[in-house]
Each structure stands twice: as structure tokens, then as C-alpha cells.
Amino acid sequence: MEHLQGALRNYPWGSHTLLAQLRGTQVPSEAPEAELWFGAHSAAPSQVAGRGLDAVIAADPEGTLGKRVADRYGSHLPFLLKLLAADEPLSIQAHPSRSQAKAGFAREEEEGIRLDDPTRNYKDPNPKPELIVALTPFEALAGFRPLAQTREFFAALNCEELDHYASLLDATSEEAGLRAVFTTFISLPEDVRKALIDAIVPAAERVADDAGAGTAGSLAAMFLRVHDKYPNDVGVLAALLLNYVQMRPGEALFLQAGQLHAYLSGLGVEIMANSDNVLRGGLTSKHVDVPELVKVLDFSTLEDPFANTTERDNEVSFHLPVDDFIMSAHRIDAEHPLLVDTDGPAIVLCTEGTVRAGDFALKPGQAAWISASDPAVTFEVAEGTSAQCFYARV
């Protein structure tokens, strides 16, 4: 077991305070701190005793990953753990399935597109299902809203210019209706898109100011906030179709391949398959490839984006339909230590308090790398204290 030094990623949408406060560093930070990566992704591998975790694993795949994991994934750690801090909306995006990622990566390799080319869509051949657990109040757009709810929202807006597009929603086929509206929105000429958004804004202001508008009022206020950050962006129209989720600390969202989403604000722990493949649809200055995004999108609606969980003995388990990772959250106190005993690799991330295993200690924002060759380890806390840790493995 060794300390795992995370790789800090500075993106414009990041926070000057959230990660800094968690880690006890300078507040506000000089640059916006968006993500802290704990893993072996080649774009930003974490460090173990001054070496990249990807190099450590490549030097001894079976010793670090264990035979079970190495036989399936070769010399690659199959998951990536992150701390994510958003002060502004991330791009509206979706991620490819395994088959789509393999095909897209191979195609762009054959075309000779450099990995650092801003127009490159596929940085690796891996899918990217992801789970995010809120550490603070957290807002997100997550999956297409059920059609009936979207029709109710559009009716509340009562915007004549929007009615034409609302008519494309076919109540007998949710997927066909959503595909028609979304592909129309994302393909509008800039002047037509601007005129449509200009018409929706006053309608949204009216609904947001109506104390009795309920859900429609919350959706309208969200629309206005997104528009304020990215005025007249195509992603503003996409936001009209997505579930708006306000999470309390401890709640979690799970997003499969193809589900359109955007995180809006807050601090959370995120785990995903070891991938950096992102197909963007707006709220960004980065490359947007409309045909490729539409190709990977799942146009079915997502009635409940929250992850399925169970809680027992200070442990929250997240039940996910993926093979690339397992994660659980632990409230560690004198009666509930955390035992790490697995035949594969593991990362333990501390988000609150201080935990110890003998002379080894973790504070908030720090993580431990535990290879398959390491003996079982127990994390404990001092008498009268408690801590929170996330335990990621495969």
C-alpha cells in the first residue's frame, strides 16, 4: 500500500474553493480546480512514489492487478476515480458504448488524427459509464426527461415559437419524438437558434417568477441560469429536454453509455470506466461533432437517474450494471473500520476526517493505492472521531 498522488486538472468550469477547502490548500486557488484524478489513465496518471501508476502497472500487470483482472484487462486499470468540483456547467455530453468506442478509436487511429487534436472524439477504445456521489449539494442534467413531463413544461412556457418544435414530440413513440426534437435543435442555423432562444427567455422568466409554477418553475430557472452562462448556445435548447436533478450529499447518479448529461454545480466523487471519450452537444467552446454525438445517443427516457443503493453498518453500496468497477462509501468510526481485502487492485479515497492503517494515514483529498499483491489492510480512526472514505475496486 502506498500513497497515490492525484493528478489535478484545471478546466474553466472548475471551482476556486471546493477542492481547495476539501484538501486544506490555499482558498481561493489561483486557477479553477475542476478534477483530481486517481487512476492510471495515460492522459494524467496518478503518481506512486514518483512514478506514474500506468508505468507501475505495466511493469508488473499480474502483481499489481491480480490474475483475475490482468487476464481480462491486460496491463490497464479498468476504472478511474475522481474528485469533481464544478462552479459552472460542464458541456452537455454523452459517452460511447464499448463497441462504439472500439470502432471510433480504431477509425480515428487509421485516419491519423493525433490524440491531442481538438477535433478528436475518441481518446481510447473504452466505454465510460459513470457514477457520481454528491459531497455537497449538487446539480445536474441527467438523461432525457419522460415525454409527458417535457410536454407539461413546454405547455407551461406557452411560447408560440417553441410550439412548432413541441409538435415534433410524438406521444406514441418517446424515442422518435426526442430524436426529432433534439436533432432539430442541434442542427438549427445560428440565427434561427438565437431567435428561438430569445423567444423562450421571457417565457421562462415569467414561469420562474410564478411562485405556484412548481416543477416548471424550477426547470425554467435552471434554463435561465444555463443561458446566462452560455447565451444562445445550442446546449441551452438541449437543457429543455433533460432531467434536472438536485442532489443532497450522499445521493448518487448513474449514467450509462449514450445518456446525455451535464453537471452544473457542486463537489462529488466520480468513478467511471477508464476512459476520456466525450461527445459534446453544447455548453462548451470545445469541438462539437453533431453526427457522431447523435450516433452514440440513447434517445430513451430516464425516469429515475439516481443510483440503486443499499446501506448497512455504515456502508453504502452502489449497485451498478457494469463490470469495470465497484464502489462503496464508508463512514468509519471506532465500531466500523474499513477492511480492504481483495484479489484485485483497489483505491481508497478519504473525503472527511483522518484514517490510519498503522503508521499510514489519509486526510481529505488523499488516496491510497492497494495492489493485488498487498496484504489485507484495515483503516481505522482515533477514538471519538469519524471519517468518510470511498473504496473503489474491480
Side-chain angles (χ1 to χ4, degrees), residues 302-317:
L302 185 59
E303 187 169 352
D304 182 9
F306 285 93
N308 183 21
T309 64
T310 57
E311 183 172 358
R312 188 174 73 87
D313 293 337
N314 285 32
E315 175 183 343
V316 177
S317 298

Side-chain angles (χ1 to χ4, degrees), residues 212-293:
T215 299
S218 296
L219 293 173
M222 173 274 294
F223 169 85
L224 293 170
R225 285 174 49 211
V226 173
H227 177 260
D228 183 60
K229 293 293 184 182
Y230 290 93
N232 300 312
D233 187 277
V234 64
V236 175
L237 293 176
L240 292 170
L241 305 172
L242 301 177
N243 288 303
Y244 172 47
V245 182
Q246 296 171 291
M247 301 162 61
R248 298 185 297 270
E251 292 185 320
L253 293 178
F254 176 67
L255 293 155
Q256 283 275 33
Q259 291 177 332
L260 198 63
H261 62 282
Y263 301 142
L264 303 180
S265 67
L267 175 67
V269 173
E270 185 179 31
I271 188 169
M272 61 190 63
N274 190 29
S275 173
D276 199 26
N277 289 325
V278 180
L279 281 302
R280 298 177 178 86
L283 308 186
T284 181
S285 59
K286 294 182 179 180
H287 177 60
V288 174
D289 187 333
V290 172
E292 197 66 24
L293 173 64

Side-chain angles (χ1 to χ4, degrees), residues 7-16 19 29-37 41 43-44 80 82-91 93 123 128 230 270 272 275-276 278 280 284-286:
L8 184 63
R9 310 291 274 174
N10 302 108
Y11 303 137
W13 50 262
S15 171
H16 288 269
L19 276 175
S29 59
E30 291 185 6
E33 297 176 336
E35 296 179 343
L36 193 58
W37 288 19
H41 195 283
L80 177 60
K82 298 180 181 180
L83 283 166
L84 181 147
D87 263 357
E88 298 182 4
L90 282 68
S91 59
Q93 59 189 259
K123 305 295 181 65
K128 195 181 177 184
Y230 290 93
E270 185 179 31
M272 61 190 63
S275 173
D276 199 26
V278 180
R280 298 177 178 86
T284 181
S285 59
K286 294 182 179 180

Side-chain angles (χ1 to χ4, degrees), residues 332-335 354 356 380-386:
I332 302 172
D333 58 27
E335 297 181 356
T354 299
R356 296 184 180 277
E380 301 174 304
V381 294
E383 187 70 30
T385 68
S386 67

Side-chain angles (χ1 to χ4, degrees), residues 168-170 172-183 299-300:
L168 297 174
L169 294 172
D170 182 354
T172 63
S173 174
E174 289 198 340
E175 292 187 30
L178 286 167
R179 179 184 291 272
V181 173
F182 179 79
T183 54
F299 286 98
S300 59

Side-chain angles (χ1 to χ4, degrees), residues 345-369:
I347 295 174
V348 173
L349 170 63
C350 179
T351 57
E352 182 185 330
T354 299
V355 294
R356 296 184 180 277
D359 294 332
F360 186 95
L362 292 177
K363 295 181 179 181
Q366 296 181 342
W369 163 250

